[in-house]
């Protein structure tokens, strides 16, 4: 094998030009050009004899014709040797890669594999590890069963797609999914460690066909950029979900897992909890977290469950009428000929309704409301349908339709309020203060109705909204005060509508509460987290030695001044809150970024902005958007219930984290006036 020298390589340089190769001598070569073809990563040119050179494969050492005299063979046959899998050394390397335990490369320590395309087919190096990584992501993102990798159909598909792929087992892909979860968890832990404020938790209890409970714990917080974020932190299996200690055990496990002791601000739960259960939670939280308003902000009811419970009462009061209308809709929608006759009668009567009949899902009350709403608008068609279809004998009476319209009147405000939870990325307490007091005021008027059917429904609903208002009105009202468009003015206006002559008493409770909470923030040791230090020093990165000497002097020579600041800070900080409340309200617009406003004004209100950051992160609902209208407890499917609890947690949490990885949440508050 001849030795290659620098001079030899410079004598003649192959240059590609319109798919033809020519030799350029040093006399005619204006500038030496580097070979561009990717094959030269795998081949070396060797001089065999005068005027004859061959390309030698760096892997298997086979040699191929390259140039003889002035004739150059080109690179197509070299590409085929690499791309078509005919190089035995490359095949051995790829086989060995398949046997290597899965350990994805991180940080870019290995050079990226370069790729090239030939006119005949693309060359993409096969990577077993990458394939396993993508299979794990696919299973997590789309909730495919882990056992699918052992299904004959999947194996046949993959073998036809890539014969060199070494099939994986259930245990292997389970390990890959858990590895993905652990990597994502490390990233999330770093994010949570650095957030400037506190974390709020929501608890959503699921059950299973084995009567086991699964507590979904979601963390809500506002990040360094003043964006509202939420992540599923844990899915904890509880053997006895109805026990008084189930939720407290899950919360304790979450606080320990994520090092949230001292950073938990509020809890919102989505499961009926006994007084004994709450008493188990209170000491746990009060022991591990600073007291904020003596714990009044640590527990709150889920608005979605409150609305669903009220809707269930409404539908229960008229269940016989609902069944009659459901049967009529079922008669029309389950037969194409019946549906055509229904449309024909509708056109003949020229009914202006644009709504379409739907058959409801009895586990989600919004579909029942939509069925009733469409049915009442199309009642004339149902009343006349028997003229075109003699087999139809299910038409509700006029009185039945009146009852259905009454049910829709009660359900509509509940539906409108609950819909906000499904259409807004992060519904805030500000929005639901407005919704809750409107529903409360409407029911207060309906309870005096002379019709006992109406008054009884209103009474049942009012009891539940009263309980929600009692538990959460302080949280909702304080959140409203943190909105510069409303402050205390909307609280005063709303409470006057709800409480009448007693309004001043309740208004004073909110005013005292907001001042007490503010004073507790004044007394908190700062910085609360390392990020606060970063915020304060964000514009002071270029410190000089002189400034450092000044800091040293402050530490050693102005101790008495520091004591004076501590003694007088309460009055100064209280003035900060009073100044905010006394300033004029901002113009009321439908879309207003309240978090963006506080971000811009955090230097003007340093302590108040920290309080606003925590208050505005309190979630009003613990239900996922697709569960807002559920009237039954969510149930984990049979397959996932059969997996280990750790695997269930890894699959559910990793899916949520991968989903949020490429999205940014916003804090736009949308309200109708």
């Amino acid at each position: 094998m001849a030795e290659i020298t620098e001079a030899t390589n410079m004598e003649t340089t192959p240059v590609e030009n319109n798919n033809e190769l020519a030799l350029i001598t040093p006399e005619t070569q204006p500038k030496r050009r580097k070979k561009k073809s990717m094959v030269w990563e795998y081949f070396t040119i060797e001089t065999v004899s005068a005027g004859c050179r061959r390309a030698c494969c760096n892997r298997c050492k086979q040699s191929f014709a390259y140039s003889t005299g002035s004739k150059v063979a080109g690179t197509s046959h070299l590409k085929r040797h690499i791309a078509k899998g005919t190089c035995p050394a490359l095949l051995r390397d790829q086989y060995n890669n398949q046997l290597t335990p899965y350990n994805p490369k991180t940080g870019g320590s290995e050079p990226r594999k370069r790729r090239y395309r030939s006119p005949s087919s693309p060359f993409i190096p096969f990577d077993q590890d990458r394939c396993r990584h993508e299979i794990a992501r696919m299973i997590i993102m789309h909730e495919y069963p882990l056992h699918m990798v052992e299904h004959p159909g999947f194996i046949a598909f993959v073998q036809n797609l890539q014969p060199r792929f070494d099939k994986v087992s259930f245990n292997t892909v389970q390990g890959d999914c858990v590895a993905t979860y652990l990597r994502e968890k490390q990233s999330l832990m770093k994010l949570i460690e650095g957030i400037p404020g506190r974390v709020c938790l929501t608890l959503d209890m699921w059950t299973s066909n084995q009567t086991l409970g699964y507590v979904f714990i979601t963390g809500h917080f506002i990040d360094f950029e003043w964006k509202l974020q939420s992540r599923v932190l844990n899915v904890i299996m509880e053997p006895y979900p109805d026990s008084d200690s189930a939720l407290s055990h899950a919360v304790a496990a979450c606080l320990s897992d994520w090092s949230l002791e001292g950073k938990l601000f509020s809890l919102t739960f989505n499961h009926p909890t006994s007084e004994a259960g709450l008493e188990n939670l209170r000491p746990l939280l009060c022991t591990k977290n600073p007291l904020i308003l003596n714990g009044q902000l640590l527990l709150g009811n889920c608005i979605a469950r409150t609305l669903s419970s009220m809707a269930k009462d409404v539908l229960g009061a008229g269940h016989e009428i609902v069944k009659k209308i459901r049967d009529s809709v079922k008669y029309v929608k389950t037969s194409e000929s019946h549906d055509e006759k229904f449309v024909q009668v509708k056109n003949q009567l020229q009914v202006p309704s644009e709504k379409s009949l739907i058959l409801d899902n009895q586990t989600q009350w919004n579909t029942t409301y939509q069925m009733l709403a469409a049915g009442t608008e199309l009642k004339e068609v149902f009343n006349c349908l028997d003229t075109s279809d003699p087999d139809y004998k299910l038409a509700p009476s006029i009185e039945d339709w009146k009852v259905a319209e009454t049910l829709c009147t009660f359900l509509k405000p509940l539906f409108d309020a609950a819909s906000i939870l499904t259409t807004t990325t992060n519904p805030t307490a500000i929005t639901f203060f407005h919704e809750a007091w409107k529903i409360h005021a409407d029911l207060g008027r309906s309870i005096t109705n002379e019709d006992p059917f109406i008054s009884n429904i209103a009474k049942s609903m009012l009891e539940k909204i009263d309980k929600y208002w009692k538990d959460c009105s302080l949280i909702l009202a304080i959140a409203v005060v943190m909105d510069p468009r409303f402050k205390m003015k909307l609280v005063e206006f709303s409470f006057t509508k709800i409480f009448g002559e007693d309004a001043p008493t309740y208004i004073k409770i909110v005013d005292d509460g907001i001042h007490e909470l503010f004073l507790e923030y004044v007394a908190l040791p700062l910085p609360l987290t390392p990020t606060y230090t970063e915020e304060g020093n964000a514009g002071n990165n270029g410190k000089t030695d002189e400034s450092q000497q000044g800091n040293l002097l402050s530490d050693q020579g102005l101790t008495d001044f520091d004591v004076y600041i501590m003694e007088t800070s309460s009055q100064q900080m209280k003035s900060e809150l009073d100044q905010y409340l006394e300033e004029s309200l901002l113009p009321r617009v439908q879309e207003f970024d309240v978090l963006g406003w506080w971000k811009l004004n955090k230097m003007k209100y340093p302590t108040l902005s920290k309080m606003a950051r925590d208050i505005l992160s309190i979630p009003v609902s613990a239900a996922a958007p697709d569960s807002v209208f559920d009237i039954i407890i969510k149930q984990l499917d049979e397959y996932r219930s059969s997996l280990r609890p750790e695997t269930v947690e890894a699959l559910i949490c990793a899916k949520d984290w991968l989903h949020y990885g490429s999205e940014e949440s916003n804090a736009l508050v949308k309200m109708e006036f």
Side-chain angles (χ1 to χ4, degrees):
M1 187 178 294
E3 181 178 355
I4 302 176
T5 63
E6 181 72 15
T8 304
N9 283 334
M10 293 180 59
E11 286 180 1
T12 57
T13 303
V15 178
E16 299 185 13
N17 186 16
N18 297 328
N19 296 325
E20 295 182 0
L21 300 176
L23 293 179
I24 299 178
T25 63
E27 290 76 16
T28 60
Q29 179 179 3
K31 183 178 181 181
R32 185 178 64 177
R33 295 176 59 189
K34 184 179 179 181
K35 297 182 179 66
K36 295 183 178 180
S37 178
M38 303 297 290
V39 300
W40 302 118
E41 291 186 4
Y42 300 91
F43 288 90
T44 301
I45 300 175
E46 299 179 347
T47 302
V48 178
S49 60
C52 178
R53 297 193 301 167
R54 296 182 67 82
C56 179
C57 177
N58 298 330
R59 301 298 181 92
C60 66
K61 304 305 180 184
Q62 294 186 47
S63 64
F64 300 84
Y66 181 63
S67 66
T68 303
S70 61
K71 184 178 180 181
V72 178
T75 59
S76 297
H77 61 306
L78 306 181
K79 293 177 181 178
R80 286 194 294 271
H81 177 71
I82 300 298
K84 298 299 182 180
T86 56
C87 177
L90 278 178
L91 289 176
R92 282 196 302 272
D93 291 345
Q94 291 164 353
Y95 177 76
N96 291 334
N97 288 338
Q98 294 175 6
L99 302 179
T100 303
Y102 179 48
N103 184 19
K105 303 174 179 62
T106 58
S109 58
E110 293 288 335
R112 290 184 58 188
K113 295 181 179 180
R114 300 178 63 186
R115 303 176 180 180
Y116 66 85
R117 295 178 180 270
S118 67
S120 57
S121 63
F123 170 59
I124 303 176
F126 171 68
D127 189 334
Q128 172 81 10
D129 291 347
R130 184 64 183 174
C131 290
R132 282 175 53 182
H133 175 61
E134 292 301 330
I135 286 177
R137 285 175 56 91
M138 175 189 71
I139 288 175
I140 291 171
M141 294 172 64
H142 303 290
E143 300 184 10
Y144 295 142
L146 297 174
H147 285 87
M148 71 172 290
V149 296
E150 297 179 345
H151 295 170
F154 179 80
I155 295 174
F157 168 74
V158 172
Q159 287 299 314
N160 280 278
L161 192 67
Q162 176 51 265
R164 286 179 286 163
F165 180 76
D166 187 20
K167 66 180 182 179
V168 294
S169 66
F170 165 83
N171 289 333
T172 300
V173 76
Q174 179 178 241
D176 292 347
C177 289
V178 172
T180 301
Y181 157 78
L182 292 175
R183 286 194 303 274
E184 295 295 328
K185 184 175 182 178
Q186 289 298 318
S187 300
L188 182 57
M189 290 191 77
K190 291 180 181 178
L191 173 64
I192 292 178
E193 286 173 1
I195 61 174
R198 291 186 168 90
V199 177
C200 300
L201 298 182
T202 56
L203 311 178
D204 188 7
M205 177 72 80
W206 288 37
T207 186
S208 69
N209 56 5
Q210 300 169 326
T211 68
L212 299 173
Y214 292 84
V215 184
F216 285 58
I217 303 181
T218 304
H220 306 260
F221 54 90
I222 294 175
D223 63 17
F224 186 74
E225 295 297 326
W226 285 82
K227 298 296 183 182
L228 193 56
Q229 305 283 353
S230 63
R231 301 289 189 276
V232 178
L233 300 181
N234 294 98
V235 179
I236 299 175
M237 190 269 286
E238 290 293 336
Y240 307 101
D242 296 325
S243 69
D244 295 333
S245 61
L247 292 183
S248 59
H249 173 267
V251 172
C254 177
L255 296 181
S256 174
D257 190 19
W258 294 89
S259 302
L260 291 178
E261 293 89 348
K263 297 187 71 173
L264 181 59
F265 187 67
S266 76
L267 275 174
T268 304
F269 48 84
N270 191 26
H271 181 68
T273 306
S274 65
E275 285 299 323
L278 296 181
E279 291 306 315
N280 285 335
L281 276 171
R282 290 184 191 277
L284 172 67
L285 296 171
C286 292
T287 299
K288 295 192 174 183
N289 298 275
L291 288 177
I292 300 298
L293 285 180
N294 297 322
Q296 294 181 62
L297 299 181
L298 287 175
L299 297 169
N301 286 319
C302 169
I303 184 64
R305 291 289 70 81
T306 301
L307 296 175
S308 293
S309 179
M310 295 167 66
K312 191 175 181 180
D313 287 348
V314 175
L315 295 174
H319 68 279
E320 294 181 358
I321 307 303
V322 173
K323 185 180 185 305
K324 287 183 180 180
I325 296 176
R326 181 182 294 120
D327 289 341
S328 291
V329 173
K330 188 184 299 183
Y331 178 85
V332 173
K333 299 304 293 183
T334 56
S335 170
E336 187 174 345
S337 62
H338 296 169
D339 197 11
E340 290 175 354
K341 291 177 182 178
F342 186 86
V343 173
Q344 182 181 359
V345 174
K346 177 185 175 183
N347 293 335
Q348 290 174 352
L349 296 175
Q350 297 182 346
V351 178
S353 175
E354 297 295 329
K355 291 186 177 179
S356 300
L357 291 179
I358 64 166
L359 190 60
D360 66 329
N361 173 2
Q362 296 184 48
T363 65
Q364 294 194 312
W365 65 267
N366 62 313
T367 62
T368 306
Y369 163 69
Q370 291 168 332
M371 179 186 72
L372 294 176
T376 54
E377 286 195 10
L378 298 168
K379 61 184 178 181
E380 295 180 25
V381 183
F382 282 107
N383 292 336
C384 299
L385 184 59
D386 57 351
T387 60
S388 176
D389 187 353
D391 294 332
Y392 176 66
K393 313 260 183 211
L394 304 171
S397 65
I398 295 176
E399 289 301 319
D400 291 340
W401 287 119
K402 287 183 179 179
V403 172
E405 289 172 350
T406 300
L407 299 180
C408 289
T409 301
F410 280 113
L411 290 172
K412 187 178 187 308
L414 305 181
F415 175 78
D416 292 341
S419 295
I420 298 174
L421 298 172
T422 64
T423 56
T424 306
T425 304
N426 287 292
T428 65
I430 298 172
T431 305
F432 276 88
F433 176 87
H434 186 68
E435 296 296 328
W437 82 257
K438 282 197 308 181
I439 294 174
H440 193 285
D442 290 343
L443 292 175
R445 290 188 293 269
S446 299
I447 203 172
T448 60
N449 194 288
E450 296 179 356
D451 186 337
F453 181 73
I454 294 177
S455 61
N456 288 337
I457 293 178
K459 181 180 179 181
S460 174
M461 297 173 68
L462 190 60
E463 289 177 358
K464 295 188 174 180
I465 195 67
D466 264 339
K467 184 180 185 308
Y468 179 81
W469 193 254
K470 176 184 176 182
D471 293 340
C472 303
S473 61
L474 181 61
I475 297 175
L476 300 179
I478 290 178
V480 167
V481 175
M482 292 293 99
D483 190 325
R485 298 172 298 168
F486 303 118
K487 301 182 182 178
M488 283 295 297
K489 296 300 182 182
L490 183 59
V491 175
E492 295 166 0
F493 174 78
S494 305
F495 280 20
T496 301
K497 297 285 187 179
I498 296 174
F499 301 112
E501 295 179 355
D502 296 330
T505 302
Y506 293 96
I507 292 171
K508 186 176 186 303
I509 292 175
V510 175
D511 187 66
D512 291 346
I514 193 91
H515 280 84
E516 179 185 345
L517 181 61
F518 180 76
L519 291 178
E520 293 199 24
Y521 270 82
V522 171
L524 288 176
L526 296 177
L528 187 60
T529 68
T531 308
Y532 283 157
T533 304
E534 295 172 9
E535 276 190 331
N537 296 334
N540 192 29
N541 294 328
K543 289 185 178 180
T544 62
D545 293 338
E546 182 180 353
S547 66
Q548 293 174 354
Q549 291 294 330
N551 290 337
L552 186 62
L553 177 63
S554 175
D555 292 338
Q556 294 181 351
L558 295 177
T559 305
D560 292 341
F561 176 72
D562 293 337
V563 173
Y564 171 77
I565 291 297
M566 292 294 293
E567 292 175 347
T568 60
S569 60
S570 296
Q571 183 62 36
Q572 293 174 352
M573 292 302 182
K574 183 178 180 181
S575 299
E576 181 185 317
L577 172 61
D578 292 335
Q579 177 187 351
Y580 166 77
L581 294 175
E582 291 169 3
E583 288 181 350
S584 300
L585 300 180
L586 293 185
R588 191 171 68 251
V589 293
Q590 220 171 5
E591 293 190 359
F592 176 70
D593 187 356
V594 62
L595 294 180
W597 187 88
W598 280 106
K599 179 181 179 181
L600 293 175
N601 289 272
K602 66 182 179 181
M603 300 303 293
K604 182 178 181 181
Y605 303 112
T607 301
L608 195 59
S609 65
K610 292 179 174 63
M611 187 172 80
R613 187 198 296 268
D614 292 338
I615 290 172
L616 296 177
S617 67
I618 296 176
V620 292
S621 173
D626 61 348
S627 305
V628 167
F629 297 100
D630 287 354
I631 55 178
I632 61 173
I633 297 178
K634 294 286 285 187
Q635 187 172 27
L636 206 65
D637 62 75
E638 184 176 357
Y639 177 77
R640 290 203 168 185
S641 300
S642 68
L643 300 175
R644 294 186 306 167
E646 297 82 2
T647 303
V648 173
E649 181 177 57
L651 293 173
I652 294 174
C653 291
K655 178 186 177 182
D656 179 75
W657 302 340
L658 292 174
H659 168 73
Y660 279 102
S662 58
E663 293 186 1
E664 290 185 0
S665 61
N666 59 69
L668 291 180
V669 179
K670 298 184 179 180
M671 299 179 64
E672 296 289 343
F673 301 97

